Amino acid sequence: MMAQAGAGFMVIANAGDADKLVSAKSGVSEIVELHTHIEENGMKAMRKVDFIDVPANGAVELKPGSFHVMFINLKERLQQGAMLDVTLVFEKAGEVSLKMPVMGPGAMHAG
Ligand SMILES: [Cu+2]
């Protein structure tokens, strides 16, 4: 059981050139990874990805069943829907600090 993990979702809007989300950092967990969801033989599974493309003058949505930020080995018990301090690292835009709503692993199976 992955009680000590959580997933972060948000919409990343981009008014400029195409960029890439290359990593995320947070003090709330030991490991922060970028993940996507794939379907393999009818089974949903999560996969770590090296980056998430952010289109020029567009947006990428981190949502259940798709891209998300995965917090692994949380240092504190997670409140459902808690807003956690996260730094997103973009290839061109650099580091962007924000608060991201984070949900428990059960949220991953919604939608
Ligand atoms: Cu994940």
Side-chain angles (χ1 to χ4, degrees), residues 67-82:
F67 293 118
H68 56 279
V69 179
M70 198 84 207
F71 302 91
I72 299 166
N73 294 343
L74 289 162
K75 293 171 184 171
E76 285 173 36
R77 202 170 230 286
L78 195 64
Q79 301 274 342
Q80 195 68 15

Side-chain angles (χ1 to χ4, degrees), residues 12 19-23 52 54 88-96 98:
I12 299 169
D19 206 342
K20 282 177 183 175
L21 175 61
V22 292
S23 67
I52 295 171
V54 183
L88 299 180
V89 185
F90 295 91
E91 189 176 72
K92 290 176 188 155
E95 298 195 353
V96 179
L98 46 84

